[in-house]
Amino acid sequence: MLKQILIKLPRKLQKSDLLDSSGSDSGNHTSNSGNGVQCTNIGNSISSRLSVVKRVSSAVFPASIMVGVEAVEPYLSCTDVSILQKQSLFISKLNLCCEVSDFSDPDKTSAEQDLKHQTLIELVDFVSTGSAKFNEPAIAAMCKMCAVNLFRVFPPKYRSNSISGEVEDEEPMFDPSWSNLQLVYDLLLGFITYSSLDAKVAKKYVDHSFISRLLDLFDSEDPRERDCLKTILHRIYGKLMVHRPFVRKAVSNIIYRFVFETERHNGIAELLEIFGSIISGFAVPLKEEHKMFLWKALIPLHKPKLVGVYHQQLTFCVVQFIDKDPKLADSVIKGLLKYWPVTNSQKELMFISELEEVLEMTGMAEFLKIMVPLFRRIAFCLNSSHYQVAERTHLLWNNEHILNLVTHNRQVIFPLIFPALERNSENHWNQAVLNLTQSIKKMLCEMDEELVLACRQKMEEENSQSSEATEKRKLIWERLETAANVIPPA
């Protein structure tokens, strides 16, 4: 009985039946549509050779996206099709550009490369006019084309043994396929910044995987590519807000790998430049996540020996954090002191410049926490045998805010730096440093002469005690040597 009832129920179509029926419908629909298309300025020979309208292959786009979507032959011009067909022509041209060209041989040119280049130019012009309509199939086609052309692994032979820009005379390496890559980047930028782009649909295709591959390209040797990537990633961060936490985490991971593993990456400066504007948009009070980025990513970036390549951008990011939360100043200064260079004078000059910018934004409460270790380090820098380091450290006193901090805490600071100034006056070889030392000593005397005299007296007492201790050690060693020279009887 039950079997008879089930037999009478309508049978569910199998997948093969659905595909067969859709395939037959597609064929009929194609033939019908082809008869109704009106194209202007197309010769009879071209019309007879090309089918004007055809169904887009399901191998390019998923069937769920491509339902009811038709594509015009990509060889046609936008002026040769109706307004309704421009969307289909746009997708067809994107599909045509998915073929990757080989530019390894500069003497090798082909008709396919020229056709692709011309098609990319047409696409960029079409998007720049503002007449494009990015529905879901168009968004999928755009992301596929960009992924095919942009995402690649850089060959080891194109990599240098250090960060790009380590040596000023080092020539940057330029990608031979840049003529096409630039057009693809321009097209991607126009797509991301398009005013009518539906962010809810775009985020499905510009997803975490897409962004991760985009971030990998920041290691490119070509500075032009890194500059394009910088602009595009910043636009993605602003447009697709749902991906912001992922972008921040992914960039943090790149920095961790650079600092603690490889110390090799070409795009740290560009990534920091993006983050400089991102930090300026953080809400106050800062989230704990953002503070962790400062403590665990930005401050350790002072450690690599090639910090000079990105130090300007790094300083800007650090200053932006302190501007948002002045209480972070003492943490930043502690980090600088932790990674302070000992044998690299050029790096030390960068640290002193950054230190001055940080101290300008440091309040009295934060200054009190770090002034003792800070001015012990400054005293060492005042005595540096590298005249540029010593000279730059002396110039800190020309900053009014720093001078004000020193004035209010002179009882602690003067005893730390006065011995260094005295040693400079007696021993330093550079005349410019000697002149600056005399100027600072005069300034301190005008600020608090009694304290300066007390510091001098204390220094003389310490020198006297040190001399006595030296004499005692000398006598002890003489006695030991005398005792060692006495030969015991047999």
Side-chain angles (χ1 to χ4, degrees):
M1 187 69 177
L2 180 61
K3 185 177 181 181
Q4 293 176 352
I5 294 174
L6 291 174
I7 292 173
K8 293 180 181 180
L9 291 174
R11 184 172 64 89
K12 184 178 179 181
L13 289 176
Q14 299 296 324
K15 181 180 285 189
S16 60
D17 297 333
L18 286 171
L19 291 175
D20 293 341
S21 61
S22 64
S24 60
D25 290 343
S26 299
N28 296 333
H29 187 67
T30 303
S31 60
N32 294 335
S33 300
N35 297 331
V37 174
Q38 301 295 328
C39 297
T40 59
N41 301 327
I42 302 297
N44 293 331
S45 60
I46 298 179
S47 298
S48 61
R49 187 163 51 89
L50 300 177
S51 174
V52 177
V53 179
K54 65 178 180 180
R55 176 69 62 181
V56 177
S57 172
S58 61
V60 179
F61 304 110
S64 60
I65 300 176
M66 293 308 301
V67 172
V69 177
E70 295 176 350
V72 181
E73 281 290 349
Y75 308 103
L76 300 176
S77 173
C78 293
T79 59
D80 297 333
V81 297
S82 64
I83 296 176
L84 297 176
Q85 292 173 332
K86 285 187 176 181
Q87 183 77 18
S88 300
L89 177 61
F90 179 72
I91 295 175
S92 296
K93 288 182 179 292
L94 287 171
N95 187 24
L96 176 66
C97 293
C98 286
E99 185 70 26
V100 179
S101 303
D102 181 16
F103 288 85
S104 58
D105 186 0
D107 298 328
K108 180 181 177 182
T109 57
S110 64
E112 290 81 3
Q113 291 179 5
D114 294 338
L115 176 61
K116 178 179 178 179
H117 187 78
Q118 188 61 37
T119 304
L120 286 171
I121 293 175
E122 292 178 10
L123 289 171
V124 172
D125 292 341
F126 181 65
V127 172
S128 63
T129 58
S131 59
K133 301 295 181 183
F134 290 109
N135 55 17
E136 188 164 353
I139 293 172
M142 173 67 74
C143 293
K144 175 181 172 62
M145 190 277 294
C146 292
V148 168
N149 285 276
L150 298 179
F151 299 158
R152 61 206 190 279
V153 177
F154 300 113
K157 62 181 179 180
Y158 289 155
R159 302 246 187 158
S160 61
N161 293 325
S162 60
I163 293 181
S164 175
E166 177 187 359
V167 183
E168 293 182 1
D169 297 335
E170 184 180 355
E171 289 293 333
M173 299 193 65
F174 297 107
D175 197 307
S177 60
W178 178 246
S179 58
N180 276 6
L181 286 177
Q182 184 179 18
L183 292 172
V184 177
Y185 278 121
D186 290 343
L187 189 57
L188 179 57
L189 179 61
F191 164 73
I192 294 296
T193 58
Y194 205 73
S195 58
S196 61
L197 179 65
D198 189 350
K200 292 182 180 179
V201 179
K203 71 181 182 181
K204 292 169 56 178
Y205 301 96
V206 184
D207 56 3
H208 290 181
S209 176
F210 188 94
I211 294 173
S212 294
R213 298 293 301 276
L214 203 66
L215 286 170
D216 290 340
L217 296 176
F218 273 90
D219 203 14
S220 171
E221 296 274 359
D222 197 327
R224 302 169 300 181
E225 183 170 16
R226 299 198 302 269
D227 194 57
C228 289
L229 286 164
K230 176 182 65 178
T231 306
I232 290 171
L233 183 63
H234 190 261
R235 296 295 186 179
I236 289 175
Y237 190 89
K239 190 91 171 184
L240 307 178
M241 293 185 288
V242 68
H243 293 324
R244 288 182 177 182
F246 175 79
V247 171
R248 293 195 297 267
K249 183 177 180 180
V251 173
S252 298
N253 290 336
I254 291 174
I255 294 175
Y256 298 152
R257 195 177 304 113
F258 167 71
V259 172
F260 300 109
E261 295 181 14
T262 64
E263 289 199 9
R264 285 178 50 187
H265 198 282
N266 295 304
I268 298 297
E270 286 79 9
L271 290 171
L272 289 176
E273 192 169 341
I274 296 170
F275 253 86
S277 58
I278 291 175
I279 295 167
S280 63
F282 284 164
V284 177
L286 291 174
K287 296 180 181 179
E288 194 66 21
E289 170 204 347
H290 304 328
K291 294 180 182 179
M292 294 299 290
F293 179 75
L294 170 66
W295 295 328
K296 294 194 173 183
L298 293 185
I299 291 179
L301 271 174
H302 292 84
K303 177 185 175 183
K305 62 181 179 179
L306 300 175
V307 64
V309 176
Y310 54 82
H311 185 260
Q312 182 179 356
Q313 292 84 356
L314 177 59
T315 301
F316 180 75
C317 290
V318 169
V319 169
Q320 288 295 309
F321 263 109
I322 299 174
D323 185 50
K324 290 288 181 180
D325 188 355
K327 293 181 180 179
L328 296 172
D330 65 305
S331 299
V332 171
I333 294 175
K334 287 178 182 177
L336 286 173
L337 295 177
K338 178 180 179 180
Y339 296 110
W340 198 276
V342 178
T343 58
N344 190 333
S345 299
Q346 294 303 316
K347 188 175 176 181
E348 198 167 9
L349 288 170
M350 288 183 251
F351 273 51
I352 295 171
S353 298
E354 182 178 355
L355 178 63
E356 182 174 7
E357 290 193 43
V358 173
L359 284 174
E360 283 183 352
M361 308 181 70
T362 303
M364 188 63 70
E366 287 70 39
F367 181 75
L368 292 174
K369 299 176 184 178
I370 46 84
M371 64 178 178
V372 173
L374 172 62
F375 276 87
R376 282 177 179 162
R377 172 53 61 186
I378 289 177
F380 279 111
C381 293
L382 288 171
N383 286 145
S384 175
S385 58
H386 194 287
Y387 80 96
Q388 289 180 325
V389 173
E391 186 177 35
R392 184 66 184 85
T393 310
H394 282 79
L395 294 177
L396 289 175
W397 304 91
N398 293 339
N399 189 296
E400 292 184 4
H401 183 71
I402 297 176
L403 189 60
N404 183 57
L405 292 173
V406 172
T407 303
H408 284 83
N409 300 278
R410 57 184 180 273
Q411 297 293 336
V412 176
I413 295 174
F414 277 20
L416 296 175
I417 61 170
F418 188 80
L421 295 173
E422 285 293 316
R423 284 192 292 271
N424 266 5
S425 299
E426 297 172 1
N427 303 320
H428 207 282
W429 63 272
N430 186 269
Q431 187 60 45
V433 173
L434 290 174
N435 294 337
L436 289 170
T437 299
Q438 295 301 323
S439 299
I440 292 177
K441 288 175 66 177
K442 182 179 179 182
M443 185 189 304
L444 298 184
C445 288
E446 294 174 354
M447 195 181 299
D448 193 334
E449 187 174 359
E450 292 183 2
L451 182 57
V452 170
L453 292 175
C455 291
R456 179 177 285 111
Q457 183 178 357
K458 182 180 179 181
M459 180 181 172
E460 290 174 354
E461 291 175 357
E462 290 177 351
N463 289 340
S464 177
Q465 293 175 0
S466 177
S467 299
E468 291 177 2
T470 302
E471 288 296 327
K472 287 181 180 180
R473 284 197 301 272
K474 186 178 179 181
L475 290 174
I476 291 172
W477 278 109
E478 288 177 354
R479 291 173 184 172
L480 288 172
E481 289 173 358
T482 302
N485 289 330
V486 174
I487 301 175

